[in-house]
Amino acid sequence: MLFSVAQAAPPPREWTSSDGNSKFLGDLIEFSEKEVKIRRRSDFNQFRLPLDRLSKGDQDHIRGLLRERRRDAGIKEGAYTAKVTGQFVKGVSKQGLNYQLWGNPELEGTQRYPIVIWLHGSGQSGDDNESQLGGAPKILTTEDNQGERPCFLLAPQCPSAEIGWKNEVADKLLALIADLADHLPIDESRIYLTGSSMGGFGTFGIAAKYPEVFAACVPLCGGGDVKYAEILKNIPFWVFHGDKDDMVPVERSRAIVEAVKKAGGEMMNYTELAGAGHGITGLVYPRTDLHEWLFKQKRTAIGTR
């Protein structure tokens, strides 16, 4: 498909041939996966060039434009359009990970929206592609919340509690997130990760493995490895744990919170729920202060906020 450049055209670009011997200043008129149409500034001549006749930098530039056009149209047409219905829709990723996706088909495709990833606990592991919604922050999908803070919600299913949210499962999840971001209008500076119990541990673990991906993390009744405190200190966290949790000791959250703060982490928030046990999703996810905090978090550039 051939795309035309919008009326609000970008400034002219210096284009370079694939062999590096030729450079010229020109305006991009049309582009596709195979060719470009450019108007040369020196004489205003317009001509077409196969994409492979341009430098790698120019080819990457065009592929980036194609990606954004694909993302613009993703709600109405594309790889995930059938799953953006206003309901949770089942899917299986290219790497074989079960998931359910929620998206609003009325969203404006040319805008970019955050995505919240929910990691379930050990009891919801398996292959039914249904159980993982137990405890999920579905409240974020209500009409009121979507009106104030529109977002996508992704609920993957871990195949086995023995594996947990690590190793190949974590890698498959990140590949799925990347593919969704390639095809839907997702704001890649506002990818949020949350989970409960095994999902709380997974939130800490995946954030430590992929620290440049997430704008904020909300682990519930979990814990993290204190040796990753130096990595985690640069990510905004809001950690929740019930002080009467009889399944995951509250000390697990206390320890990682303390370690991150000792490492200089100034974005580590911690709320200990007095009298609460292990099942705290119904207490935490309805909190409007959490919603307000979470959706304000944004990565402004790689490695910065």
Side-chain angles (χ1 to χ4, degrees):
M1 181 180 294
L2 194 63
F3 294 102
S4 296
V5 176
Q7 292 297 318
R13 176 184 178 86
E14 184 177 69
W15 302 88
T16 305
S17 62
S18 56
D19 59 11
N21 292 330
S22 177
K23 295 185 179 182
F24 63 93
L25 191 66
D27 300 294
L28 182 65
I29 306 300
E30 294 176 343
F31 59 96
S32 72
E33 294 181 355
K34 295 183 178 180
E35 66 176 16
V36 294
K37 182 179 181 181
I38 299 173
R39 179 174 58 239
R40 190 164 51 202
R41 278 292 177 107
S42 62
D43 55 13
F44 300 109
N45 282 336
Q46 297 185 20
F47 52 89
R48 296 185 183 277
L49 278 175
L51 196 60
D52 60 10
R53 292 280 301 278
L54 294 172
S55 68
K56 181 181 183 303
D58 289 337
Q59 292 184 42
D60 289 345
H61 174 68
I62 297 300
R63 292 190 180 104
L65 295 176
L66 289 166
R67 179 178 186 262
E68 291 309 306
R69 291 296 179 96
R70 185 170 63 242
R71 281 151 51 81
D72 289 348
I75 289 177
K76 302 301 181 184
E77 57 181 48
Y80 291 97
T81 301
K83 293 179 173 56
V84 181
T85 67
Q87 303 290 329
F88 282 96
V89 180
K90 297 178 182 179
V92 181
S93 76
K94 297 172 182 176
Q95 293 75 30
L97 185 68
N98 285 337
Y99 68 89
Q100 291 203 36
L101 178 68
W102 190 96
N104 183 351
E106 301 303 319
L107 293 178
E108 175 55 57
T110 55
Q111 297 185 31
R112 299 293 180 255
Y113 303 92
I115 183 169
V116 178
I117 296 98
W118 152 255
L119 306 181
H120 62 74
S122 60
Q124 288 77 50
S125 302
D127 59 6
D128 64 357
N129 208 3
E130 293 182 1
S131 302
Q132 73 264 35
L133 291 182
K138 297 179 184 179
I139 193 169
L140 298 178
T141 69
T142 65
E143 185 176 352
D144 286 347
N145 278 311
Q146 283 290 307
E148 290 189 45
R149 291 170 283 269
C151 67
F152 293 92
L153 182 61
L154 174 66
Q157 185 176 37
C158 181
S160 168
E162 294 182 2
I163 300 173
W165 296 108
K166 53 190 177 183
N167 301 332
E168 70 269 20
V169 177
D171 295 339
K172 289 179 180 180
L173 174 57
L174 267 291
L176 172 58
I177 295 170
D179 200 52
L180 289 168
D182 276 344
H183 293 88
L184 288 172
I186 289 171
D187 184 346
E188 294 168 288
S189 70
R190 300 174 71 200
I191 298 176
Y192 306 126
L193 184 63
T194 184
S196 179
S197 193
M198 184 181 82
F201 284 97
T203 299
F204 280 112
I206 292 176
K209 187 173 185 179
Y210 299 98
E212 302 297 337
V213 172
F214 302 102
C217 298
V218 183
L220 282 58
C221 51
D225 193 327
V226 297
K227 72 182 181 183
Y228 297 123
E230 187 68 27
I231 297 173
L232 296 173
K233 73 177 185 180
N234 295 315
I235 305 171
F237 270 82
W238 194 341
V239 181
F240 291 87
H241 214 125
D243 68 352
K244 303 300 182 186
D245 192 327
D246 60 355
M247 295 185 67
V248 178
V250 67
E251 286 76 19
R252 297 300 300 271
S253 284
R254 290 174 182 170
I256 185 62
V257 168
E258 181 182 3
V260 170
K261 288 184 175 180
K262 281 187 176 180
E266 299 179 354
M267 297 180 287
M268 177 64 70
N269 305 291
Y270 179 52
T271 297
E272 197 164 289
L273 303 173
H278 190 63
I280 60 173
T281 56
L283 299 174
V284 173
Y285 289 133
R287 295 177 58 136
T288 56
D289 59 343
L290 174 60
H291 302 173
E292 292 169 358
W293 174 86
L294 181 63
F295 287 94
K296 286 180 181 177
Q297 307 308 314
K298 183 174 183 177
R299 290 172 57 252
T300 55
I302 296 297
T304 65
R305 298 178 192 280

